[in-house]
Amino acid sequence: MADPSRPVTGYPSANGYPAPPLGSAYPYQAQPPQNQPHAYYYNAPPPPDPRLAFYRRFCVIIIGLTVIFATVLFICWLVIRPRVPEFRVDSLSVSNFNVTSSSQTLTGSWNLRLQVYNPNSRMTLSYDDVRPSVFYKTEFLVETRIPPFQQGKKNQTFVDASFSASNSYVDRRVLDGISADRARGTVSFNVKVVAVVKFRTGAWRARARVLRVYCTDVPVGITASSTSGKLVGGARECSVRV
């Protein structure tokens, strides 16, 4: 038991608190946080820009209208279901046909009749800037232009075109190929038609499109001793691209 009469050694405790135990760090009193009256002002998000909000709403409206317009066009296409016209060579004849090897020239007259059919039951077709041409394999021979024409629904039309070439220069390989074909009794030509076509139904009108028609290997009976011939083997179907 401690003697109360014995004097106390050591330093008095500061501020009335007991002294810390030996071997421990001196507990300094933490400073209270300082007031930051402007912290909310600096950390608050900036107010929204009214111009940016307007641009966003405008973009949303444009996208929505575009989607609606595309949907309406797609539904119209499903209902109308436009189909490309059908072409075939009904007849092709050649007269005054002659090739000259020495000068590499070709002379001849072609008469073409095309059968054009509109398979659409809801749409009419109109053709403009119609340009038929005749080739031997890939070699261009002659071209002409015919008047515009129109077709009603489920309509079949016959289109006539006349071509003429006089002493037109051609490559040597073309002359050799034509001479070899005439020796066999048949010369095959390729017919190409390019036109601008428009599809219409009521007040709805599709944009104009370029129509390309390819009629390949159209045989005409011409012998080496003759200068004229006609289509052999019946009508020839053509491929159509829009």
Side-chain angles (χ1 to χ4, degrees):
M1 182 174 180
D3 187 2
S5 62
R6 186 179 178 178
V8 178
T9 61
Y11 294 95
S13 60
N15 299 326
Y17 293 97
L22 295 177
S24 63
Y26 185 81
Y28 291 98
Q29 185 176 3
Q31 295 293 330
Q34 299 181 358
N35 294 330
Q36 298 181 359
H38 301 292
Y40 175 79
Y41 175 79
Y42 287 111
N43 295 332
D49 189 352
R51 292 178 299 177
L52 182 59
F54 170 78
Y55 291 147
R56 289 177 178 174
R57 288 194 296 267
F58 180 77
C59 292
V60 170
I61 293 174
I62 293 297
I63 294 174
L65 292 177
T66 302
V67 172
I68 294 174
F69 182 71
T71 303
V72 171
L73 285 182
F74 181 69
I75 294 174
C76 291
W77 182 85
L78 288 178
V79 173
I80 300 173
R81 195 66 66 91
R83 297 169 59 188
V84 297
E86 300 173 4
F87 281 72
R88 78 174 188 177
V89 176
D90 197 58
S91 66
L92 178 63
S93 62
V94 181
S95 59
N96 301 322
F97 190 72
N98 185 42
V99 291
T100 305
S101 298
S102 59
S103 58
Q104 293 184 227
T105 56
L106 178 144
T107 299
S109 298
W110 290 261
N111 290 301
L112 171 69
R113 167 163 280 198
L114 292 170
Q115 184 183 119
V116 186
Y117 176 67
N118 176 15
N120 296 282
S121 59
R122 296 185 179 91
M123 305 191 73
T124 61
L125 304 180
S126 61
Y127 304 84
D128 194 12
D129 195 18
V130 186
R131 298 176 181 267
S133 54
V134 177
F135 291 76
Y136 177 77
K137 300 187 184 301
T138 59
E139 183 75 14
F140 169 80
L141 298 181
V142 65
E143 182 186 62
T144 190
R145 186 175 179 180
I146 62 177
F149 64 97
Q150 295 184 354
Q151 280 191 298
K153 305 167 186 176
K154 295 288 185 178
N155 176 260
Q156 180 175 285
T157 305
F158 290 94
V159 179
D160 295 320
S162 297
F163 311 82
S164 181
S166 179
N167 295 323
S168 298
Y169 176 82
V170 291
D171 289 342
R172 173 65 61 182
R173 60 181 179 84
V174 175
L175 296 177
D176 295 340
I178 292 177
S179 298
D181 290 345
R182 293 180 73 181
R184 290 188 290 266
T186 303
V187 180
S188 294
F189 298 97
N190 295 329
V191 177
K192 179 181 178 180
V193 181
V194 178
V196 177
V197 62
K198 296 178 182 178
F199 297 79
R200 300 182 182 182
T201 174
W204 186 79
R205 179 186 305 176
R207 66 183 181 89
R209 297 178 178 273
V210 178
L211 182 76
R212 293 178 175 86
V213 182
Y214 301 92
C215 313
T216 59
D217 295 330
V218 182
V220 177
I222 308 176
T223 63
S225 59
S226 65
T227 60
S228 62
K230 296 181 179 180
L231 176 68
V232 295
R236 310 287 292 188
E237 299 293 334
C238 307
S239 63
V240 181
R241 300 177 186 175
V242 176

